[in-house]
Amino acid sequence: MPDSYTMLWTNDLCAYLKKEGYEGERLVILFGGPFQSMPSFLRAGVKEGDHIYPVRAFRKRLWALGRMEVGRILPYDTVGELTTDEDYARVLRWRALKAGGGVSEVLLGPPGSPLRFDRAVPPDLLASLTYRSRRGERRIKHVEDGELKRSHSVQGIYRLAPESAAAMAALVAG
């Protein structure tokens, strides 16, 4: 059974993507790397078939931006050699996701959900959203009265517990 993960996008990246007309385009590519600002999917345990949910922390809310299924994970420095012309064109189109550089991984997938910036995670889901690791499960910290007071506990790439993954899938599909 595939796993599901969230990854936090910065507000600057979201503002740029919205301004440049990416809203409504289907997610087909994501980039990862060795830095906190561009975390590694491989280090997080992501594999082919898994789902990635980019999220944004903005105005005390968590926003579900979309979902992408991982079809392939490639080293960034070989992407030109190992992709079709169509996939390479996607790399070029979505290069804004490489904001800040430090890219070492490229995730390619079939067209995912459309990118949206208007889908807030409801307060009850935010309060119950649970991540799973080898050490056990944890909820998002700094959630008070249905608001996200700080985004520290969602910065990075984190595996969702099965119930939370199902809830995120329903939210993004709706």
Side-chain angles (χ1 to χ4, degrees), residues 52-109:
I52 308 295
Y53 293 89
V55 296
R56 174 187 195 187
F58 184 63
R59 296 188 175 165
K60 299 183 181 182
R61 309 281 306 265
L62 188 68
W63 302 82
L65 305 176
R67 178 177 75 180
M68 188 187 106
E69 179 183 337
V70 179
R72 296 172 67 194
I73 303 173
L74 303 172
Y76 179 70
D77 58 353
T78 63
V79 76
E81 303 161 19
L82 300 176
T83 58
T84 64
D85 289 343
E86 180 182 358
D87 283 338
Y88 191 71
R90 291 174 176 167
V91 170
L92 295 176
R93 170 66 181 137
W94 287 92
R95 68 183 172 268
L97 295 179
K98 299 187 317 182
V103 175
S104 62
E105 308 161 359
V106 177
L107 276 62
L108 297 169

Side-chain angles (χ1 to χ4, degrees), residues 4-95:
S4 294
Y5 296 79
T6 63
M7 72 172 299
L8 184 69
W9 283 1
T10 67
N11 287 316
D12 287 343
L13 175 60
C14 291
Y16 177 82
L17 293 172
K18 191 170 185 177
K19 182 182 97 170
E20 295 298 317
Y22 285 82
E23 189 166 17
E25 289 192 36
R26 293 189 175 279
L27 294 172
V28 291
I29 189 166
L30 295 169
F31 297 95
F35 303 114
Q36 185 175 358
S37 60
M38 177 72 61
S40 170
F41 291 99
L42 293 173
R43 195 172 332 132
V46 173
K47 57 195 176 312
E48 291 177 4
D50 287 346
H51 296 123
I52 308 295
Y53 293 89
V55 296
R56 174 187 195 187
F58 184 63
R59 296 188 175 165
K60 299 183 181 182
R61 309 281 306 265
L62 188 68
W63 302 82
L65 305 176
R67 178 177 75 180
M68 188 187 106
E69 179 183 337
V70 179
R72 296 172 67 194
I73 303 173
L74 303 172
Y76 179 70
D77 58 353
T78 63
V79 76
E81 303 161 19
L82 300 176
T83 58
T84 64
D85 289 343
E86 180 182 358
D87 283 338
Y88 191 71
R90 291 174 176 167
V91 170
L92 295 176
R93 170 66 181 137
W94 287 92
R95 68 183 172 268

